[in-house]
Amino acid sequence: MAQADIAYAATAGAAGLALAVSAWAWRLRVRLEARTREAVTARAALEVAASRASGLIQAFDDISLALDADGRAAGEILGPAELVSRWTHGAETPAAALLERLRPGHGAAIDALVEQGHPFEGLALLDEAGRDAASPWRVEGRVAGGLAWLRLAPASSVTLTGAEAIESGLALLADASPTPTWVADGAGLLAWANTAFLDEVGAETLEAARAAKTSFDRGADALVAEARRLGVRQEGFRWTTGGERRRAWRIIAEPAGGGAVTAFAIEVTEAEETRDTLRRHVEAHDETLNHLADAVAIFGPAKRLAFHNTAFRTLFDLDTAWLDERPTHAELLDHLRQRRRLPEVVDYAGWKAHELDFYGASEAAPDDSWSLPDGRTLRVVRQPHPLGGILLIFSDITDELQLRSRFNAQLQVQRATLDKLNDAVAVFGSDGRVRLHNEAFERFWNLSGDQIAAAGDFDALAELCKAALPDPALWLGLKARVADPDPESRIAISGEGRAADGRVAAWQTRPLPDGATLVAFSDVTARRELEQALVQREQALAESQALKREFVGSVSYELRTPLTTIVGYSELLEATGELPDRMRQHAGAIRIAASQLARSIDDVLDMAQIDAGEMELSLGDVRIRDLFDEAADKIRAKVEGRGATLTVTCAPDLRPIRADARRIGQALDHLLENAARAVSEGGAVTLTAEAGPAEVRLTVADTGRGIPYHLQAHVFDRFVRRERGGPGVGLALVKALIELHGGWAEVESEPGKGAAFILHLPLGAALTAAAPELQLEDGVSP
């Protein structure tokens, strides 16, 4: 292309460009002018709206503050300056001062509003300068236009309608309520309280309570803190002590938003005391039932086991854990049937249904009895429970039935026994009526059973009996024992009377434990005649004994005189040297026989004296060794003359005894003489003394022919024919002398092997059989 064409084209392009730019500029100017007009119009509208908003803010008694994303003030406080000044008091940064004052009570709610957009409502107390009391303000938090807004308004200046008006009325009601009510702010501090709360904690004003950080109770504070933390209503129970009185409270903590919590303390002292009294009553009732011997089970309205005592578990041998699961009545019956603890019935289903039908009964059912397979018998009592359900009482009456059976049998035996008695017996009750009589009673008074039954009481029966025993004083005395309730009048008495037919009737009364009285009559005519005969016989026996003693004394005296002459002349003949030896031996034999006869007479006199109780002992300290030596010297020649040996054994430390040495020596002489007569050549006679714990045993033994077994029981009897020694009183006298000392004698013998006579003499004390003058003393010095 030519340069001119290029220039032309450039010029044409520039002109077109200029034209286009001019057209665009015109259109832009027109558009700007339109937008300017719109902006002016919008500005005017905004100014009008701002003016209206400012007027609206100034028209109401509240203030507002916007918060940014960090929770700081996003501008100035909006609202009347007078209200703003109440919260800021001329602070350099009013918005920051307002937030600082709200933080203690509503910090958590403000953070939740800024961070999560959670709205809240609450109350704040404003301590105004120069005033005694704090004024409540309503605090609200909302999110709008991407900002968090706080709105504060005095509670007294807020006009409430609808639900808000109701809440305001409830607030006034809470202040006048007798229930302590308070509000804790987000920091857990007391924000508001009603008059009842202040009275309870002893604070005059709310300001004083807040200043002292007064708390209703630590447990209530913990409950309020838990409600604030969880945001859920909490309830609890507390006991407090105030005004010298212990009171119970039900604490209710209700979250109110913004971290604030409203708490109520409802007094339940009376209810708790009633509940506690009821609990103690129930426990005492249960404890009483647990101490009962009868088994008790209580089933509730739902037919489940509500209570059982220890006796119930023991009676049926049930597991405690299973009972604690509260089985139903039907389950219990099934369980007992499996363990064979129920009566065995043909139709168990019908029987079980009948048992469960008692729940609908309005009155107690008649008592029932169960016969268990193990032989026990139970009495079952069923009665409706006052709180619903049924009360069952089980009593094991097995022993009672057995006892009743035995009692009835015993009663029948007693009746049969009374009928077999010879004595006439009648039993009168405390009312004076005849309760029981035997057949002998009818025979004794010649009355029939119908007559006694028709008479009935004591007076009528006494009139019938007076025909046989007409003694008014007797029947009057018996009536006093039967009818008088005074214990002194019912004492046992007895007596005798003579009947009209000549019989001697003995009577006696006995009070019985149940208030009854037993009266017994017996015919003692034969007994009295026998007693009279015995008295006469005793008198005759006493006279014969006196005659016997007199005869023995006379005979002894008459015999002693010639025996003394015979002994004297025989001794004289023996001493004469002119007589042959054979004649001298005859004279010695006469002397020995006369001496033995004199000794036998002395024995008889001693026995008679002992029988009459007239023998006296000359007591003294006796050494057994001395007695043995003296007795051995007397008998040694005779024993050795028969070709036998005599052995004396006595312990050297044997203690002396207190006794009559002459009488003990007399007994030993008799025993040694018997032994000397029984021993033969090559035999032996032993005299032994042994000490026991409380006695001394003296034994005279020989190796002679012994005593037959059938005679050993009578060896100490007097005037009995014996194979050893013949009849006499020698051994009987030995026994009597030892018993007079408080001891006793025995014999041990085996036929063909000899005999041993043992004398037991007391060592330290007299036995009851001893004579009164024998006083043995323990510890006699040797």
Side-chain angles (χ1 to χ4, degrees), residues 162-495:
E164 292 180 344
I166 294 175
E167 292 179 2
S168 177
L170 291 177
L172 295 176
L173 180 62
D175 186 66
S177 173
T179 300
T181 306
W182 70 98
V183 177
D185 57 20
L189 300 177
L190 181 64
W192 177 85
N194 66 351
T195 304
F197 175 89
L198 298 177
D199 293 340
E200 183 64 29
V201 300
E204 295 182 357
T205 62
L206 179 61
E207 177 64 23
R210 294 184 63 193
K213 295 183 179 181
T214 303
S215 172
F216 185 83
D217 179 72
R218 291 184 179 180
D221 292 345
L223 205 65
V224 169
E226 189 70 9
R228 182 187 305 108
R229 184 180 67 84
L230 299 177
V232 180
R233 177 177 179 174
Q234 301 292 321
E235 295 187 10
F237 176 82
R238 298 293 298 170
W239 281 94
T240 62
T241 304
E244 298 182 355
R245 182 188 174 193
R246 192 167 179 259
R247 290 190 288 180
W249 303 89
R250 181 187 175 197
I251 308 298
I252 301 176
E254 183 72 41
V261 177
T262 302
F264 306 91
I266 303 173
E267 185 176 0
V268 292
T269 305
E270 184 176 355
E272 286 301 316
E273 290 177 347
T274 303
R275 184 181 292 109
D276 186 61
T277 301
L278 178 60
R279 177 185 57 78
R280 290 197 301 267
H281 177 73
V282 171
E283 290 178 353
H285 181 264
D286 293 348
E287 185 67 19
T288 301
L289 293 180
N290 272 325
H291 283 81
L292 290 180
D294 293 339
V296 179
I298 300 176
F299 291 89
K303 299 184 180 181
R304 284 194 171 274
L305 183 64
F307 171 82
H308 70 280
N309 64 351
T310 305
F312 177 80
R313 175 178 57 81
T314 304
L315 178 66
F316 293 105
D317 191 20
L318 297 174
D319 184 57
T320 305
W322 186 80
L323 291 174
D324 291 341
E325 295 177 0
R326 299 182 61 194
T328 63
H329 197 168
E331 293 173 347
L332 176 64
L333 293 177
D334 293 339
H335 185 70
L336 292 178
R337 183 172 182 246
Q338 293 174 2
R339 305 188 63 188
R340 302 194 67 196
R341 297 290 192 274
L342 290 180
E344 294 183 343
V345 295
V346 177
D347 184 12
Y348 172 71
W351 182 87
K352 176 181 175 182
H354 177 71
E355 286 293 321
L356 298 178
D357 284 343
F358 287 106
Y359 282 90
S362 59
E363 297 180 355
D367 293 356
D368 194 5
S369 61
W370 289 0
S371 296
L372 303 187
D374 58 4
R376 292 182 298 170
T377 302
L378 305 182
R379 180 174 59 239
V380 184
V381 179
R382 309 175 186 87
Q383 62 182 22
H385 195 270
L387 301 180
I390 188 173
L391 170 67
L392 299 179
I393 302 176
F394 301 89
S395 303
D396 188 351
I397 59 174
T398 307
D399 294 340
E400 179 181 347
L401 293 178
Q402 294 177 353
L403 182 62
R404 185 178 301 174
S405 176
R406 289 197 299 268
F407 173 76
N408 292 333
Q410 185 178 7
L411 185 60
Q412 294 176 1
V413 171
Q414 289 177 348
R415 288 180 179 272
T417 303
L418 288 178
D419 287 338
K420 301 304 179 183
L421 292 178
N422 293 325
D423 292 346
V425 177
V427 177
F428 296 88
S430 58
D431 55 356
R433 300 189 65 82
V434 181
R435 297 288 180 84
L436 182 67
H437 71 280
N438 63 352
E439 296 177 356
F441 189 84
E442 299 176 6
R443 294 193 301 269
F444 187 87
W445 299 108
N446 195 22
L447 298 174
S448 65
D450 294 337
Q451 287 178 303
I452 296 175
D457 59 2
F458 181 85
D459 291 333
L461 185 60
E463 291 297 328
L464 297 177
C465 297
K466 284 181 180 179
L469 189 61
D471 187 353
L474 165 64
W475 298 106
L476 185 61
L478 291 179
K479 182 178 181 180
R481 275 35 181 199
V482 171
D484 195 340
D486 187 2
E488 295 183 358
S489 298
R490 298 185 68 247
I491 60 176
I493 60 172
S494 60

Side-chain angles (χ1 to χ4, degrees), residues 37-50:
R37 288 193 298 273
E38 291 177 359
V40 171
T41 302
R43 179 179 178 182
L46 290 175
E47 289 178 352
V48 172

Side-chain angles (χ1 to χ4, degrees), residues 59-71:
F60 295 97
D61 291 337
D62 58 6
I63 56 177
S64 303
L65 178 64
L67 303 178
D68 58 17
D70 295 330

